[in-house]
Amino acid sequence: LMFVFFQVKSEGPKLVPFFKATCVYFVLWLPTSSPSWFSALIKCLPIFCLWVFLLAHGINFLVSHRSASRILAGLIFSAVGDAFLIWQEQGYFIHGLLMFAITHILYSSAFGMKPLDLKAGLFMGLVCSSCYAFLYSYLSGPFTYLVAVYIALIGFMGWRAVAGMQLCNDLWTWTKLSACIGAMLFMVSDLTIALNKFCFPVPYSRFIIMATYYAAQMLIALSAVESRDEEDFRKRS
């Protein structure tokens, strides 16, 4: 409990810019019908703040902790993907899809392959297969296979995040829980995008997509700081 309190106290102030940038996005609520570089900046600003959040832990930390540097790289590709999706009606949706596919590969690599937890993998596989089976009849052209690949990648990322959350033993950490919840929220966000784009209008879709997306990215960014904070906590204890 003391360690969790220390985490909140030490990491909270570094996230203030992210929360402010997120509020700016939702307060301005710029129309998607008229994409511009300004609307792209406002949309990407919370992700830029998460770059700064990770960089604030020091370059040496990022260099020595591969998982943290991979999450930072994922956030960079995410921002590029966000920018592409501003112009998705102008033909850049696939470009955004590719950027986020790379993001999920980087996040999967950051979460690692230990513990394996095949049961979690099987469960995630069933969930993703069910989602694709539902979407399949609505898809056509290249989206038939592009969406399949994307779902496989985000499902794999979700599996690696869930597998890391060992609630029943001493391997449990608050950052692994953070990664797990973040991955699940990312999947909710992307599923909402898919339903709204390919199947039927989802009520309040933009709010659901962006709220879950920003929360997911924040939690995944938080999951990168475990090693540094444990070292600091031991020094202060």
Side-chain angles (χ1 to χ4, degrees), residues 113-132:
M113 291 302 295
K114 294 180 181 180
L116 196 59
D117 198 346
L118 291 175
K119 289 182 180 179
L122 179 60
F123 174 75
M124 199 60 66
L126 289 171
V127 169
C128 291
S129 298
S130 300
C131 289
Y132 183 70

Side-chain angles (χ1 to χ4, degrees), residues 16 79 85 109 176:
V16 168
L85 291 181
S109 177
K176 288 176 180 176

Side-chain angles (χ1 to χ4, degrees), residues 34 57 61-62 75 97 107 114 127 134 146 175 182 208 219:
S34 53
H57 290 82
F61 168 73
L62 292 171
L75 287 167
L97 199 69
Y107 286 171
K114 294 180 181 180
V127 169
F134 179 82
L146 287 175
T175 47
I208 295 169
L219 289 167

